[in-house]
Amino acid sequence: MIDLAIIGAGPAGLAAAALAAQAGLDTVVFDENAAPGGQIYRAITSTPLTRREVLGADYWHGERLVQAFAASRARLETGCTVWSLDADLELGVLQAGVARLLQARRVIIATGALERPFPIPGWTLPGVMTVGAGQALLKNSGLVPDGDVVLAGSGPLLWLYAAQCHRAGGRIAMLLDTTPRGAYWRRLDELPSFVLSPLLAKGRALVAEVKRVVPVVSHVTALEAVGGERVRELRYRSGAGPWQGVAADTVLLHQGVVPNVNLAMAAGAHHAWDPVQLCWRPELDAWGHSSISGLAIAGDGAGISGASAAQARGQLAAIDAVRALRGPAESSALSGAVAEHNARRALDRANRGRAWLDAAFQPAPQFRLPEGDTLVCRCEEVSAAQVKATVAQGCEGPNQLKAFLRCGMGPCQGRLCGLTVTELIARERGVAPGQVGYYRIRPPVKPIALSALAQMPVDDAAVKAVVRG
């Protein structure tokens, strides 16, 4: 039995593992990638980008986290897919094609965030990707897109990637900013906090850097990717102006990130709708502990706050695990009170100005709630019109919609359509998204080969893991 299983080797997972292992817990981190870093610090130990200014100082902070983790006694299991987690803290893990079940005394989910769905007409055309995918290629392989590259959307990552791409030698033909007019004045009560945070200076510097080298169109209110075998043009409207077009070989879309909740939901942890970040987030206490005994959630999976907050949340979840498994004496011997104080101060600093940022970059309704033939569920090719018609027939929630249209039953298991489906149903019913709910997530939480399940030992535990839910 493992003392502490941590799922995800990003900033939250690495910080939690280093602290827990130092306190003497048998700590194992499971991650799908070949090396630690997660999405934010992806390929931090192997990126071919040797000029550090390309990715920036915030990215290279990840080196210290990886070094601290390496110096601890925590173990890292790479190339692992955690396909199951239940309320008894039993994990289903797939590694090198072999599926197995492991038992843990405590679990920390640190699976981070996903990019929010951006369902516009033509978003499934070849050549249309997310900004996060473009950034992953840059970090992993030092690659930037060829030809005419157009970025569209809103949020800090859009501007960060634009700057990184240009520093790496890429050429961006245009950036279409969909931030609604007047959005920056939504939370004037939180503006002083944002102004006094480091976020303002970083954001202004990024925007200024990008605008020096990239044509930017503001207040974009409509988007449509056009093409045949692949995208060739991105059409747009600015404000109430006429439709215009820009040639595009590659279109990169982004309108923020949301917590990756599938594994926590599959385990049965309670979640609630966040009306500001417009997503589901787990209900947690001050330590990141969920409604399931022994299960904590840290990092952006607990609510979007960025890398620094993720690191602090990981440390708090680890301190809580040490206290639960080793007792207060062990925690005090390792300066647990000091570690907690430092982590909470770091978390407060990281969250300063966050409320203003969340309100300012809340995606516009037309980019969250598609119409007509625009696809909502890419896996099963279900359109917005089909969802609307099905609700009119009496469908009240996402799980009923599965029976009608198979939405959420493809390989992504709702990751690319779940939020859109919830909001579409809520709009058509005239209720809040929290009343509509989300897909019921069942194992395997990520696709695995039937042969891997078939080769597992046939016992009660194995059967329970496959058919539970």
Side-chain angles (χ1 to χ4, degrees), residues 253-291:
L253 301 174
H254 178 79
Q255 57 176 353
V257 295
V258 295
N260 182 357
V261 298
N262 275 31
L263 189 62
M265 281 192 168
H270 295 167
H271 287 68
W273 180 259
D274 186 324
V276 177
Q277 293 189 348
L278 301 176
C279 61
W280 297 99
R281 61 186 296 174
E283 297 177 346
L284 307 172
D285 66 14
W287 297 95
H289 199 273
S290 74
S291 59

Side-chain angles (χ1 to χ4, degrees), residues 437-452:
Y438 194 67
Y439 294 128
R440 185 176 298 110
I441 309 298
R442 294 172 173 165
V445 174
K446 287 194 173 181
I448 63 174
L450 281 174
S451 58

Side-chain angles (χ1 to χ4, degrees), residues 119-363:
I120 63 170
W123 74 310
T124 60
L125 282 171
V128 181
M129 301 166 59
T130 67
V131 165
Q135 192 187 52
L137 288 169
L138 180 62
K139 291 175 178 177
N140 270 335
S141 307
L143 295 176
V144 293
D146 290 330
D148 293 318
V149 181
V150 179
L151 272 58
S154 65
L157 182 60
L158 185 79
W159 297 92
L160 176 60
Y161 174 75
Q164 291 173 335
C165 183
H166 180 262
R167 294 170 197 163
R171 189 186 70 82
I172 298 171
M174 187 173 288
L175 187 151
L176 304 174
D177 186 358
T178 62
T179 306
R181 192 183 299 276
Y184 296 152
W185 309 111
R186 284 174 175 162
R187 288 295 305 271
L188 287 177
D189 58 321
E190 291 290 342
L191 187 56
S193 179
F194 177 76
V195 170
L196 295 173
S197 77
L199 298 173
L200 175 62
K202 288 181 182 179
R204 291 183 67 178
L206 272 177
V207 171
E209 178 183 352
V210 172
K211 285 188 172 181
R212 282 195 297 268
V213 294
V214 177
V216 175
V217 178
S218 300
H219 311 307
V220 171
T221 55
L223 290 167
E224 180 182 4
V226 179
E229 294 184 356
R230 60 173 296 109
V231 68
R232 57 177 173 80
E233 181 186 31
L234 187 62
R235 300 182 69 235
Y236 66 93
R237 293 180 65 187
S238 178
W243 280 96
Q244 301 181 66
V246 53
D249 297 301
T250 301
V251 171
L252 299 179
L253 301 174
H254 178 79
Q255 57 176 353
V257 295
V258 295
N260 182 357
V261 298
N262 275 31
L263 189 62
M265 281 192 168
H270 295 167
H271 287 68
W273 180 259
D274 186 324
V276 177
Q277 293 189 348
L278 301 176
C279 61
W280 297 99
R281 61 186 296 174
E283 297 177 346
L284 307 172
D285 66 14
W287 297 95
H289 199 273
S290 74
S291 59
I292 295 175
S293 179
L295 175 63
I297 303 170
D300 276 347
I304 305 302
S305 293
S308 297
Q311 181 176 337
R313 283 172 168 169
Q315 290 168 338
L316 290 170
I319 293 168
D320 191 41
V322 172
R323 287 178 175 169
L325 298 180
R326 290 288 185 265
E330 182 73 17
S331 179
S332 297
L334 288 161
S335 301
V338 174
E340 178 189 348
H341 174 73
N342 290 341
R344 294 203 185 280
R345 283 190 62 188
L347 184 57
D348 287 342
R349 283 196 305 271
N351 282 332
R352 193 175 301 149
R354 188 77 217 183
W356 181 89
L357 200 68
D358 289 340
F361 290 112
Q362 189 181 84

Side-chain angles (χ1 to χ4, degrees), residues 85-91 103-105 267 292-293 464 468:
L85 175 65
D86 66 11
D88 297 325
L89 307 187
E90 183 180 71
L91 298 88
Q103 186 68 50
R105 299 172 69 191
I292 295 175
S293 179
K464 181 184 75 170
R468 75 167 67 93

Side-chain angles (χ1 to χ4, degrees), residues 84-108:
S84 173
L85 175 65
D86 66 11
D88 297 325
L89 307 187
E90 183 180 71
L91 298 88
V93 178
L94 180 74
Q95 187 177 36
V98 177
R100 52 190 171 134
L101 297 174
L102 302 172
Q103 186 68 50
R105 299 172 69 191
R106 301 276 294 202
V107 172
I108 298 175

Side-chain angles (χ1 to χ4, degrees), residues 12 25 65 117 180 188 239 241 261 365 397 420 463:
L25 295 188
L65 273 178
L188 287 177
V261 298
T420 309
V463 172

